Amino acid sequence: MFDIKSFYEARDVQDAVQALVKEPDAEVISGGTDVLIRIREGKDAGKALVSIHNIPELKGVRLLENGDLWIGAATSFSHITNDPLIQRLVPMLGEAVDMVGGPQIRNTGTIGGNICNGATSADSASTMWALDALILLSGPQGERTVPICEFYTGPGRTVREREEVCTGFIIRKENYEGWYGQYIKYGKRKAMEIATLGCAVRVKLSEDKRVIEDVRLGYGVAGPTPLRCRKAEEILKGAGVDDKEALEQFAKTALTEVNPRSSWRASREFRLQLIEELAKRALTESIRRAGGNCNA
């Protein structure tokens, strides 16, 4: 049994926002794969729930007129993985969310919940950081857009107000066009495992595929929140795809920008080893996917 004060099925986004304002202890629920676990464990017991799960305007993936990619917050992981636009434009995101839990979780859980629960271990988070995603929020004061790099404030905490509903995400055309990437998740098991570390790398190569014009490096579980290693990124800009020294420096510089902790899943020292090694592996695969010849 779940200790729930009340359950309200919102008709649309504004209806959900009004319900959250009306009920001071209400919480948004969509797939419920995180919220219901917290309630069962007693952390959020006795709260009212406002469901956005069946609001059509929050589901799906579409290309906007300006070429930006829109992803609805209530879109399930399996939908994202199998969506033709995701497969064509940002397959890395589809691959990342396909590593969440098992099939039942992926069919129910949503990308909005995965980002908004604030967990550094969220499989979509480091990839969304590497994509420079924008988060769309709707609340009593209207709508606002928050860059993902400004969204997290601490472990399990974000700038989203309790009365706000995450409606979707925007990936700008310039952040996916010409980019290729790889997400690597390390866990003790191959399936149904929370990430011990997640590493996302994206690259944009020169026309002749010999030079790294731009690169993004994102991590999950390398600090209290997901993060980008911007100093490491600068190391590689303009480097040759087969520049082994630059690749090594890229991975080592990342170590100066992270702050992993020891937990029952892994020690800080082991996570630091993973941070360096996965950066090199993900970069090598990203270059290969982009059409470059990386022999590092």
Side-chain angles (χ1 to χ4, degrees):
M1 293 292 291
F2 293 94
D3 184 2
I4 298 172
K5 178 181 178 181
S6 63
F7 184 90
Y8 180 74
E9 188 80 52
R11 298 183 300 275
D12 53 36
V13 172
Q14 282 308 306
D15 187 37
V17 170
Q18 291 171 10
L20 290 167
V21 171
K22 183 179 179 180
E23 190 67 66
D25 65 350
E27 184 173 352
V28 173
I29 185 172
S30 185
T33 55
D34 289 315
V35 173
L36 292 178
I37 289 174
R38 293 200 300 269
I39 291 174
R40 186 179 63 189
E41 292 176 345
K43 296 176 183 177
D44 286 342
K47 284 195 172 183
L49 299 179
V50 175
S51 175
I52 60 171
H53 189 64
N54 293 316
I55 298 178
E57 64 193 272
L58 299 184
K59 295 178 181 287
V61 179
R62 65 175 182 265
L63 206 57
L64 304 181
E65 289 184 3
N66 63 359
D68 292 350
L69 188 67
W70 177 88
I71 303 172
T75 308
S76 69
F77 300 124
S78 57
H79 185 128
I80 290 172
T81 300
N82 293 303
D83 187 89
L85 284 173
I86 296 292
Q87 292 176 350
R88 177 163 61 91
L89 302 177
V90 283
M92 176 183 173
L93 179 59
E95 293 165 4
V97 300
D98 200 39
M99 298 182 190
V100 177
Q104 298 94 331
I105 295 294
R106 293 193 294 272
N107 287 338
T108 306
T110 65
I111 189 167
N114 203 226
I115 295 294
C116 289
N117 70 12
T120 183
S121 58
D123 287 304
S124 65
S126 55
T127 296
M128 293 292 267
W129 272 69
L131 287 163
D132 254 350
L134 300 174
I135 300 171
L136 308 177
L137 302 173
S138 183
Q141 308 306 318
E143 299 178 351
R144 62 178 177 138
T145 301
V146 181
I148 195 165
C149 62
E150 299 174 10
F151 188 65
Y152 296 86
T153 59
R157 300 193 302 273
T158 72
V159 300
R160 183 183 71 85
E161 300 292 341
R162 186 194 62 81
E163 300 92 348
E164 288 184 310
V165 172
C166 175
T167 60
F169 305 88
I170 295 289
I171 299 172
R172 288 180 172 149
K173 183 179 180 180
E174 60 264 31
N175 289 323
Y176 71 75
E177 191 172 59
W179 290 84
Y180 297 84
Q182 172 72 36
Y183 172 72
I184 300 178
K185 174 179 181 174
Y186 182 91
K188 292 183 178 181
R189 301 183 302 182
K190 289 186 177 180
M192 298 185 71
E193 172 74 337
I194 296 174
T196 299
L197 191 90
C199 176
V201 173
R202 292 183 65 76
V203 298
K204 178 184 280 190
L205 302 185
S206 60
E207 191 173 346
D208 62 7
K209 307 299 182 183
R210 294 183 179 180
V211 176
I212 299 171
E213 291 187 346
D214 208 347
V215 62
R216 307 261 177 85
L217 173 60
Y219 284 107
V221 209
T225 69
L227 54 87
R228 279 263 304 274
C229 293
R230 300 181 188 273
K231 292 179 182 177
E233 294 170 359
E234 289 298 321
I235 294 290
L236 273 186
K237 292 179 181 179
V241 297
D242 56 355
D243 189 336
K244 295 183 180 181
E245 184 177 342
L247 188 150
E248 290 289 337
Q249 191 61 36
F250 167 74
K252 290 189 180 299
T253 302
L255 295 175
T256 68
E257 301 182 77
V258 298
N259 185 27
R261 68 181 181 92
S262 293
S263 71
W264 66 269
R265 286 193 179 86
S267 66
R268 170 183 168 85
E269 292 71 24
F270 182 57
R271 283 196 168 102
L272 287 170
Q273 182 181 345
L274 288 174
I275 286 164
E276 183 176 3
E277 180 61 28
L278 295 190
K280 291 187 283 188
R281 293 189 187 187
L283 175 65
T284 300
E285 179 60 20
S286 296
I287 291 173
R288 186 195 68 79
R289 289 185 172 191
N293 184 18
C294 180
N295 297 315

